[in-house]
Amino acid sequence: MTNQKVAIIGLGRMGSTIDDEGHFQVPYSVAAATQASTSLELIAGADLLPEKRNAFAERWNVNAYEDFREMITIEKPDLVAICTAACLPKPINTAPDNDARPDSHADLAIAVADLGVPMIYLEKAMASSMARADEVRDAIKRNNTLFNTGVLRRFDNRYSVVKEAIAQGWIGEIKTVVHYASSSLMHGHIHSIDTISHLIGDPEIAAVRGELLPRDYTIAGNHISSDPLATYQLRFVNGVEAWTIPGSYWEFEVIGSEGAIRSFDNGARVSLRRPGSKEGRRQLWEEVPFDAVVPESTTMTCLEDLVAAREDSRPTLGHVDVTHHITEATIAVAESHRQGGAWVELPLNARDLYIFHV
């Protein structure tokens, strides 16, 4: 890979400082991941807040701008990472009223694509409604922009080995997928739905049903004022079904005709079970040893996938069509709740349902 110039919009946690919190063993912020990469070069950042610009410029020894358009015009980055909150202004986490529909991810993705930047990393979710997600998809396509989002389990080597085992047929024909964790919809379940889809090869999702919590939550005026807890069920076109169970800590289990594989503790270890001995007429499954995987930087893998896709003239791993589809399935959970938990087929007819989230 040749060196590609990276600029960042939004110089807070994901853009610059999240590694200071000590959650990760490997570089996680876009700035840290870029500096750790041999194919990326951090050249600039942009933020509306002067204190963030000053801290970023001093820490990373690059230029910082108030106006992202000025930054792009002067610095001419190959890749722009959009790391703002989804629905500004921060730090609020509830919309001020039912008329408030801020959507900085959609606004910035469209603007950056139309400025001709070849590659975009966009924090999740790509938009807060399908009407805006449609606009983002159209902007990415009309500009031939390469695109990945921050659903980073798709780029996690600890999940890649699970996906590879499934693809190689170690558990036979896929039957069922279960995700275990209590989570909000746009901040969390966009990850869980994306990971489920990724692990089984991204088949099309045909229909969704789900509910928001509390179960008596009423959606008024196509507007959800804060990111709700949710549960869901997915039905894929190939007949596979998936559920989320609001318990445990970010675990994924894929059950097949000849075994099952489960990722435990947010990817920390993997259990593979396959047919073993029989007990009378009962077929027992036995644990198969699965080597531990040393974690790599998911952010760096995601950014380098953009570069590799550009050099190899191929789609990215999280290309805009799959991201748009996963976003639609996520918003469909709320639409199903509005319809009393009914199955909702994709694509959604209603495009204006808006979910405020950060």
Side-chain angles (χ1 to χ4, degrees):
M1 299 183 203
T2 57
N3 247 25
Q4 303 290 300
K5 297 182 292 183
V6 177
I8 302 171
I9 303 173
L11 306 180
R13 292 179 77 240
M14 192 61 199
S16 178
T17 66
I18 195 171
D19 301 277
D20 298 342
E21 298 170 18
H23 305 308
F24 307 100
Q25 304 171 11
V26 292
Y28 198 80
S29 71
V30 170
T34 297
Q35 289 226 327
S37 171
T38 58
S39 61
L40 303 168
E41 177 190 359
L42 182 64
I43 60 167
D47 199 288
L48 296 175
L49 298 178
E51 60 270 25
K52 288 190 176 181
R53 293 198 300 273
N54 293 339
F56 183 85
E58 181 177 354
R59 178 171 189 162
W60 303 106
N61 194 30
V62 295
N63 294 327
Y65 297 78
E66 181 177 6
D67 185 341
F68 74 89
R69 291 179 177 85
E70 180 184 12
M71 176 184 72
I72 290 170
T73 300
I74 293 173
E75 302 284 352
K76 296 180 173 52
D78 300 295
L79 191 163
V80 168
I82 299 167
C83 299
T84 63
C87 300
L88 294 171
K90 291 182 74 175
I92 64 171
N93 57 17
T94 302
D97 55 61
N98 273 10
D99 294 324
R101 299 173 73 94
D103 203 334
S104 74
H105 287 177
D107 295 340
L108 289 166
I110 293 166
V112 171
D114 284 342
L115 284 167
V117 174
M119 298 176 283
I120 290 176
Y121 167 92
L122 177 64
E123 262 305 311
K124 46 76 184 161
M126 72 185 295
S128 298
S129 71
M130 285 315 300
R132 298 306 312 279
D134 293 344
E135 293 178 24
V136 174
R137 177 199 58 197
D138 294 347
I140 295 300
K141 289 196 165 191
R142 71 171 169 262
N143 291 289
N144 295 315
T145 311
L146 290 164
F147 181 85
N148 273 331
T149 59
V151 282
L152 293 176
R153 288 175 182 82
R154 181 173 285 266
F155 302 93
D156 191 326
N157 64 319
R158 299 171 302 171
Y159 289 94
S160 297
V161 296
V162 176
K163 176 180 171 59
E164 183 178 353
I166 295 167
Q168 290 179 353
W170 290 9
I171 64 168
E173 182 184 357
I174 302 165
K175 299 293 185 182
T176 303
V177 189
V178 185
H179 163 255
Y180 302 88
S182 176
S183 186
S184 64
L185 189 58
M186 299 297 281
H187 187 72
H189 279 316
I190 199 157
H191 285 286
S192 68
I193 294 173
D194 183 78
T195 305
I196 288 170
S197 179
H198 175 62
L199 289 176
I200 64 174
D202 289 320
E204 184 181 347
I205 300 169
V208 177
R209 71 177 177 187
E211 60 183 5
L212 307 183
L213 302 175
R215 292 182 174 90
D216 61 357
Y217 186 96
T218 300
I219 299 173
N222 283 329
H223 191 281
I224 297 175
S225 61
S226 61
D227 193 10
L229 293 174
T231 62
Y232 61 79
Q233 183 178 355
L234 311 175
R235 187 169 67 224
F236 292 86
V237 293
N238 60 4
V240 174
E241 295 201 2
W243 289 261
T244 185
I245 305 297
S248 194
Y249 178 63
W250 282 88
E251 298 177 2
F252 295 86
E253 185 170 25
V254 184
I255 302 167
S257 58
E258 300 176 27
I261 190 166
R262 182 162 174 166
S263 171
F264 286 88
D265 302 329
N266 202 19
R269 63 186 181 89
V270 176
S271 170
L272 173 65
R273 293 179 298 145
R274 300 193 67 195
S277 60
K278 285 191 175 183
E279 187 179 88
R281 304 170 88 180
R282 291 178 57 207
Q283 174 68 65
L284 303 180
W285 282 2
E286 296 180 351
E287 186 111 7
V288 178
F290 209 97
D291 292 339
V293 177
V294 177
E296 299 173 355
S297 170
T298 55
T299 309
M300 185 167 66
T301 300
C302 177
L303 298 174
E304 289 183 347
D305 178 65
L306 286 161
V307 177
R310 187 184 190 190
E311 294 187 344
D312 298 340
S313 300
R314 62 160 176 84
T316 59
L317 190 57
H319 60 83
V320 74
D321 286 326
V322 71
T323 299
H324 182 272
H325 187 57
I326 297 301
T327 304
E328 188 157 23
T330 305
I331 292 176
V333 175
E335 180 60 37
S336 172
H337 176 90
R338 178 158 63 173
Q339 296 184 25
W343 280 105
V344 175
E345 294 186 353
L346 302 185
L348 291 171
N349 292 321
R351 314 299 283 178
D352 290 330
L353 178 58
Y354 171 90
I355 306 174
F356 184 98
H357 65 290
V358 295

